[in-house]
Amino acid sequence: MAQSHFVIVGLDGLRADMVSPETTPNFLRLAQQGVHFDQHHSVFPTATRVNIASLVTGAYSGTHGIVNNAIFEPAISPQTWVDLGKYDVVDAADAYYRGQLLCTPSLGEILAGHGDTMMAISSGTTGSNRLMHHKVRTLGGIGFSAHGIAASYPTDEAETVITKFGPAPAMGMPDSARAEYITDVFLHHLFPQHRPRVTILWFSDPDKTYHALGIGSPESLQAIQAVDTQLGRILDWSQEPDQADRINILALSDHGHVTVRDKVAVHEVLSADVTPAGRGHYTDQVAVVPSLTGEIHVHNHDPKLVARIAQWLMSQPWCGSVFTQGQNEVEGIVPGTFARSVVGNDHARSGDIVYIMRTDDERNEHGLPGSCYDDSGLPLGGSTHGGLSPYELQNVFAAAGPDFRAGHINPLPSGTIDVMPTLLHLMGYPIPPSVDGRVLHEALSQTADAPEAMAEPAMYGASDPDSGYCQYVETTRVDQTVYIERAWIEA
């Protein structure tokens, strides 16, 4: 039998409730032909670089160490956060951490160790592209970015692509032209030239268009249709007679979105109310790394100052869930907070306090539910992600090919962290003990020896009796893998 190949197609930011025959006919065709994972989950924070790291490591953010889209490391960047959206920053951070920016083995590393090749092609940020195979410069493989030769590796292959196809089109909203461009590059050059065992082909839309113009806007619907069209081309190619018995197509999104309805500059109100705080750098003893999910770093982890700030956060009308270092498996060290481990985000790089701007079910002008406070440069009416609302946590996944069942709806929850161990299982390679995800046995074509599994729901609460603040998290466990369903507060 021919060796199986796996092509992972990233539909960045696609919400599960925006899949329809009108917007995503090709995704639905893939799901109908193969397996539809209709209870698919992001990991927390629901951010692209976090979930790409989880995709290639099979691990939660607190295991692989990419604790948010940006990390706080003054030794690398003393004046602001470390922006992992830039390939050169990813390379510099990996050098600083002595090759351990990802603290667990990644798919590219494992494949290289078995003599296989991995390829990452992207129209998204150069940092996300590099995180897909962050050892590409030392272990080999292909990393091609639509942002140009400098962000791609190896250089001579990128130069060949530019000579053959021309430079990538400028980014648009929708980003349709670049989606078509990287699909052309994959179908007509990079795959036939290199035949990698695993390819990640990542579209920047609908995420980019959502951010700027909002979920449900006419442009965002066009963006979904455009990337779905390219998925259709890839699906058609995979079913050509010389490909059909060896190509598996996996299409997924990394997170959903919610609409920005109000803005708060957290470092400013924190400075006014409690203690001086810098935006991305220490002012006196406190630094805020802002976003929908933000982090507060306290110099020397001063427990009294951590408690003061956390208690203040829980009193703010714009603040949602709050997490601190755990005093046990559920409760944080500050009363009313959850332990960061409850949401898989407990790592030495995590903030002393991890907080989420408040979200709700309010509908935007296009009728789509889910809105939030935000602390970024995004416009009101645009959309964002990173938190724990179901609109961010519930994303999409379908897979078809010789290694997957046909015409099957998966009955169990699944998540970003399950893709890597499932692929390793299918390739017959050992799964590292660092993996938090599970093999999706129930979705595979060879299921004779598949262990039975059940979904076990759970709900956790934490409260501060002095302020009346209460927060909750709902999860589902399958075997040892935990999927977060939602979190909310009552105050």
Side-chain angles (χ1 to χ4, degrees), residues 273-350:
D273 291 355
V274 182
T275 187
R279 184 178 175 87
H281 61 88
Y282 279 128
T283 295
D284 193 13
Q285 297 195 52
V286 177
V288 176
V289 180
S291 189
L292 172 61
T293 289
E295 299 178 1
I296 296 176
H297 294 261
V298 176
H299 189 60
N300 291 331
H301 314 292
D302 180 348
K304 292 183 179 179
L305 187 52
V306 169
R308 282 179 58 204
I309 296 171
Q311 289 160 353
W312 170 82
L313 280 169
M314 290 185 286
S315 72
Q316 300 304 299
W318 46 262
C319 186
S321 303
V322 182
F323 305 87
T324 56
Q325 179 184 345
Q327 64 168 319
N328 54 45
E329 291 184 354
V330 174
E331 298 172 301
I333 56 172
V334 180
T337 67
F338 276 125
R340 294 176 308 212
S341 57
V342 168
V343 288
N345 190 235
D346 192 31
H347 192 274
R349 298 174 194 158
S350 301

Side-chain angles (χ1 to χ4, degrees), residues 76-94:
I76 300 174
S77 178
Q79 298 303 314
T80 190
W81 51 81
V82 178
D83 181 1
L84 296 175
K86 300 175 181 177
Y87 79 94
D88 53 341
V89 175
V90 171
D91 289 345
D94 195 48

Side-chain angles (χ1 to χ4, degrees), residues 117-185:
T117 302
M118 180 165 165
M119 182 160 66
I121 309 168
S122 173
S123 60
T125 66
T126 63
S128 294
N129 180 243
R130 186 56 53 85
L131 283 170
M132 294 170 194
H133 185 12
H134 72 302
K135 301 292 190 184
V136 65
R137 294 173 63 89
T138 55
L139 296 180
I142 303 292
F144 182 78
S145 169
H147 291 271
I149 292 172
S152 303
Y153 191 84
T155 300
D156 58 351
E157 184 59 275
E159 290 172 342
T160 299
V161 169
I162 301 302
T163 299
K164 185 173 181 178
F165 295 90
M171 186 184 75
M173 292 192 189
D175 205 16
S176 311
R178 290 203 308 176
E180 182 177 8
Y181 176 87
I182 65 168
T183 304
D184 286 342
V185 168

Side-chain angles (χ1 to χ4, degrees), residues 15 17-18 215-216 259 361-370:
R15 271 176 47 155
D17 60 355
M18 297 191 77
I215 48 176
T259 299
D361 295 330
E362 183 177 314
R363 293 180 181 271
N364 69 4
E365 62 178 308
H366 307 293
L368 286 165

